[in-house]
Structure formats: structure tokens, C-alpha cells
Amino acid sequence: CPRVIVSLIPLQSCQCLAWKPRSMGVWGAESQHVVAGYSDGTVRVFSVSRTEMELKMHPHAAALTAITYSTDGEMILSGGKDGLVAVSSPRTGMTIHVLADHKGSPITALQCTRKQYHDFGMQGGELWLATSSDRRVSVWASDWLQDKCELLDWLSFPAPAGPEGLDSLPPSLAAFCPWEHGVLVYVGFGMQKEALFYSLRKKQVFRKISLPAFATSLSLSPAAPFMAIGFGDRLLRLQPCPAGDPQDYAGHDDTVHLCRFAPSGRRLLTASHSAVLVWELTGG
């Protein structure tokens, strides 16, 4: 039975949130912490088991637009409406890095992934990416304990002039591909309505999948080569990769602005203006 963990502070709104990764080596363990980013620039860590806020940090002067944990859960990466990315320690409450490479354009996505040994010839224990609304994606190799953060790649995707009558452009979104190492997937307003597969090793787009419209949300399954893509006309698409017939579903009342696969890949959560749906995915 659902229960309220903590109420929001008046005049502030939660803009983004993420679960802390499960501890390595603890089989079946479920994370008991959630980090949330707020409109006043604060980052707040909540304990699910104790139903209370454990930590409040203020690394941003602008509203937060994206947030995630590092792969080991030891750092929190947060992005703001002003394009700044902060790296903060939930243990000390201190912000250890502020990256201004995307300054001036809101951060639309942040994601971390474990980096294989000697991948790309760079030091670091993980890769992470930041995406901003101006269709730029930066990819970094980092080792926060050693105070190392090195730029691996910088992507800029072209687009025509914004069409008339469109109040806001579709978001720029990127995610590491779980089933193809060294690959990320990008969707956003561009020259064509498509999902782009980019190789970090070859430094080029090597695959394109046509879409019926510009995407408004994106999630990649960790268990199978599938993408979930949301659109502005209440449509949700499950797209097999690299090829195959897509499956379209119309169950929302508005733009599908959120898609999230569960870590098992067996469930998919999607959200629109006034509907949150949980999908059970079966094989076959």
C-alpha cells in the first residue's frame, strides 16, 4: 500500500529524482535512499526506511532539471536550468566539482555507467554523460576518489530553425546503450525524426532508427535490446534494436514525458500530465 514519505516544502517543487544504486555484492538488496532536486537549487537525500530527509545541500543557484547517482552511489551529479553540473558528496554534504561546459542551456539528462577496464585508454572508474537543451552531449571519464574528471567526447547535433507555432522544442535526451558497450543513443529536435546510435570509439553515428515524431522521453532496457520512446501525441513506442517492428501503445492522456525501465527490465513506468502507468513486459 503506498504511503507518503515526506511532504514537499511550500513554494518549492521537486523537479527530478533518482534512486541510489544497490550496494555491490548484496544480493537482492534494495536501495533505501532517494535523491531529489528542487526548484530552489537544493538537493535533498531521503531515507525510505526511516521516512525522513537525511541531508540537504544547496549546490545550485538555479532550479534543478536533472539528477543521478554515480554508479557506486558515493557521489550525486545534479544539473540546473542554467546549464551548470555539480558533483556533491552525500557523505560530507560538500560540492567537489562544478562543471560549466553546458552553461547557458538547461541540463536535460544525466547518466552514469560503469566503465570497463582500459576502455578508451582513459583513467577512471565510470563514464557519465550530460545532455543540454541545445542538443549538446558531453561524455566524461571520472574517478571521484582520485579527483579525476576528463572529457572523453563532445557531441553537437544539428537542427533546422525552430518551426513556427511550436512553443517549445522537444527535449534533447541521451543514454548509454546497455547492450552495446561504448555506444550512446540520442533523440531530440533535429534534421530528421530519428534515434541516433553514436559510437564513442569510432566517433560517429553508425545507426539511425526512424521515428513517427520527435521524442519527448527515452529509456533503454537493461535486460533486452529494446527502447521505450514517448511522444507528444499520447503515443508510447517499444522499439526493438537494431531492427524489428515497433509496438505502439496509446494509453496516456497527454505527452508521454517520462519513460523508465525497472532494473530488471521486466517493468516500464511511463507518465503524462495526469497519468502514471506501469507496464508488465513479457517475452515472446
Side-chain angles (χ1 to χ4, degrees), residues 179-180 197 206-209 225 239-244:
W179 58 84
E180 290 188 74
F197 287 70
F206 68 94
R207 183 185 303 140
K208 300 179 180 181
I209 295 180
Q239 175 69 58
C241 301

Side-chain angles (χ1 to χ4, degrees), residues 110-244:
L110 291 168
Q111 189 190 8
C112 299
T113 186
R114 296 190 183 278
K115 185 169 72 70
Q116 291 182 326
Y117 187 65
H118 283 164
D119 273 4
F120 312 108
M122 302 179 73
Q123 295 182 346
E126 71 179 11
L127 293 182
W128 64 275
L129 63 79
T131 309
S132 50
S133 60
D134 56 0
R135 303 176 303 281
R136 295 185 297 169
V137 181
S138 59
V139 183
W140 307 78
S142 62
D143 186 339
W144 302 120
L145 295 179
Q146 299 296 324
D147 196 30
K148 293 179 179 179
C149 183
E150 186 176 356
L151 182 66
L152 171 64
D153 208 341
W154 183 266
L155 292 70
S156 296
F157 293 94
E164 295 183 4
L166 191 62
D167 294 333
S168 60
L169 296 177
S172 301
L173 302 171
F176 291 110
C177 187
W179 58 84
E180 290 188 74
H181 290 296
V183 173
L184 63 83
V185 178
Y186 171 85
V187 296
F189 180 67
M191 305 305 291
Q192 303 292 334
K193 301 178 180 69
E194 56 193 3
L196 304 177
F197 287 70
Y198 179 88
S199 170
L200 292 168
R201 292 187 177 90
K202 298 180 179 180
K203 307 288 187 181
Q204 65 182 24
V205 173
F206 68 94
R207 183 185 303 140
K208 300 179 180 181
I209 295 180
S210 297
L211 303 176
F214 290 116
T216 55
S217 55
L218 171 72
S219 185
L220 278 62
S221 170
F226 270 88
M227 295 190 299
I229 308 170
F231 298 98
D233 55 358
R234 306 186 299 276
L235 179 70
L236 171 69
R237 168 167 288 191
L238 286 182
Q239 175 69 58
C241 301

